[in-house]
C-alpha cells in the first residue's frame, strides 16, 4: 500500500513538472536572442514608421518614427537577432539625446525631408519679432499679416509704394534697422551669388545716414527690400 502511494506521488509530481515546464518552453521561444552585432561607419538615416526600442532585445518601445519623420538620425551599429523564432535585422540610431534600436527595414539612407510648413511658420514668427525689435511702425505693418514666403516677399517688394522712410530722422533709422533685422533672419539661405549680392546691399544700407536730402537713403532701402523680397518669395 505504501509502495503504491509513493509511486502515485512520483507520477503526479512528474505530470506537474511536465505541465509546469510547458510555459517555460513557450517563453523561451518568444524571447529575443542576439545572434551578432557589429559597428558600422556613421550613416545618416531617416524613417517614417516603426518602433524605436530602448534595448537590442526589443522589449521596451521608447519612440515611434512616425513622430520623427523630419528627424535625421545617425546609425552606428547593426545586429542580427532572433525574435519569436524568426531572424531579424536591427540598427542602432541616435539623434541628440534620443537613441535606440529599430528594425532596419524601416530606415532609409540620407537626411530626413525638409519640413517646409514648420520652417515657414517659425520664419514668419522670427520676421515679426525682428520687425518689432526695431521699433519701426512701417516695417511692422508691412510684415504683420504675412503668413507665407510668397506673401512676405510680395509685401517687401512693394513696400516702397507705402514708403519705408519715416517722417523724421528717428523713424527713418528705425525703418533701416527693421529691414536689416529681417535680412538677418534669412541671411545665407540663398545661392552663393545671391547671398553675396544681398550682403553687399545690406552693408550699404547699414552705412547710410538719413539726411534732409533723403533720396539716396530711400532708394537704397527700396532696392534692398525689393531684392530681399524677391528671394524670400521663392523659398
Amino acid at each position: 500500500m505504501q509502495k503504491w502511494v509513493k509511486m502515485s506521488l512520483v507520477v503526479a509530481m512528474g505530470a506537474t513538472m511536465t505541465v509546469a515546464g510547458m510555459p517555460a518552453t513557450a517563453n523561451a521561444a518568444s524571447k529575443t536572442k542576439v545572434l551578432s552585432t557589429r559597428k558600422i561607419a556613421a550613416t545618416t538615416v531617416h524613417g517614417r514608421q516603426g518602433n524605436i526600442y530602448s534595448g537590442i532585445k526589443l522589449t521596451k518601445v521608447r519612440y515611434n518614427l512616425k513622430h520623427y519623420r523630419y528627424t535625421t538620425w545617425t546609425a552606428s551599429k547593426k545586429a542580427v537577432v532572433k525574435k519569436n523564432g524568426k531572424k531579424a535585422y536591427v540598427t542602432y540610431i541616435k539623434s541628440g539625446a534620443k537613441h535606440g534600436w529599430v528594425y532596419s527595414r524601416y530606415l532609409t539612407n540620407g537626411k530626413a525631408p525638409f519640413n517646409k510648413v514648420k520652417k515657414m511658420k517659425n520664419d514668419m514668427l522670427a520676421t515679426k519679432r525682428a520687425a518689432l525689435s526695431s521699433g519701426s511702425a512701417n516695417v511692422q505693418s508691412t510684415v504683420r499679416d504675412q503668413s507665407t514666403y510668397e506673401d512676405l516677399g510680395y509685401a517687401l517688394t512693394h513696400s516702397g509704394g507705402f514708403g519705408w522712410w519715416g517722417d523724421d530722422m528717428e523713424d527713418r533709422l528705425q525703418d533701416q534697422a527693421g529691414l536689416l533685422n529681417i535680412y538677418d533672419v534669412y541671411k545665407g539661405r540663398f545661392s552663393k551669388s545671391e547671398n553675396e549680392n544681398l550682403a553687399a546691399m545690406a552693408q550699404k544700407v547699414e552705412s547710410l545716414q538719413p539726411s534732409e536730402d533723403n533720396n539716396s537713403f530711400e532708394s537704397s532701402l527700396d532696392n534692398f527690400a525689393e531684392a530681399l523680397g524677391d528671394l524670400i518669395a521663392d523659398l
Side-chain angles (χ1 to χ4, degrees), residues 8-234:
S8 299
L9 287 172
V10 170
V11 172
M13 288 176 65
T16 302
M17 290 174 67
T18 301
V19 173
M22 289 176 63
T25 303
N27 287 339
S30 66
K31 289 181 178 179
T32 300
K33 183 178 181 181
V34 180
L35 302 180
S36 66
T37 60
R38 63 186 175 92
K39 292 183 178 180
I40 61 172
T43 305
T44 298
V45 297
H46 65 278
R48 296 176 59 85
Q49 63 176 339
N51 290 329
I52 301 175
Y53 297 87
S54 58
I56 193 171
K57 293 195 173 181
L58 315 177
T59 55
K60 183 179 179 181
V61 175
R62 179 172 284 178
Y63 316 106
N64 192 298
L65 282 172
K66 69 180 180 181
H67 300 304
Y68 300 92
R69 294 182 178 184
Y70 302 107
T71 298
T72 297
W73 304 80
T74 299
S76 58
K77 288 184 283 187
K78 286 184 177 291
V80 182
V81 301
K82 195 169 187 180
K83 185 175 177 66
N84 298 327
K86 296 182 179 180
K87 187 182 291 187
Y89 299 88
V90 293
T91 302
Y92 179 80
I93 59 175
K94 188 176 189 303
S95 179
K98 296 180 174 61
H99 57 89
W101 291 87
V102 61
Y103 285 105
S104 302
R105 66 178 182 270
Y106 292 129
L107 298 174
T108 302
N109 285 345
K111 292 184 178 181
F114 177 64
N115 188 351
K116 183 175 179 179
V117 174
K118 182 178 179 180
K119 179 62 176 173
M120 183 164 61
K121 183 178 179 180
N122 290 339
D123 281 343
M124 293 302 110
L125 181 60
T127 300
K128 290 165 186 175
R129 285 175 176 169
L132 183 64
S133 67
S134 71
S136 169
N138 288 329
V139 178
Q140 290 177 50
S141 64
T142 299
V143 306
R144 181 180 297 121
D145 298 324
Q146 315 312 326
S147 59
T148 67
Y149 293 129
E150 186 176 3
D151 290 344
L152 177 60
Y154 181 88
L156 289 172
T157 56
H158 292 78
S159 58
F162 302 102
W164 272 100
W165 48 95
D167 295 329
D168 55 37
M169 199 76 70
E170 183 179 357
D171 289 342
R172 292 167 189 168
L173 287 172
Q174 288 178 343
D175 294 343
Q176 179 188 38
L179 186 55
L180 289 170
N181 286 353
I182 292 175
Y183 164 69
D184 285 339
V185 174
Y186 299 93
K187 182 168 58 178
R189 301 268 290 273
F190 313 106
S191 70
K192 182 179 179 181
S193 60
E194 290 166 343
N195 286 331
E196 289 175 349
N197 182 50
L198 278 179
M201 295 180 75
Q203 188 174 10
K204 180 179 179 181
V205 168
E206 190 171 14
S207 67
L208 291 173
Q209 291 295 327
S211 62
E212 293 301 326
D213 180 12
N214 218 32
N215 289 335
S216 177
F217 185 83
E218 295 172 358
S219 178
S220 294
L221 262 63
D222 283 347
N223 292 338
F224 186 42
E226 184 174 350
L228 180 59
D230 283 338
L231 293 175
I232 290 176
D234 291 333

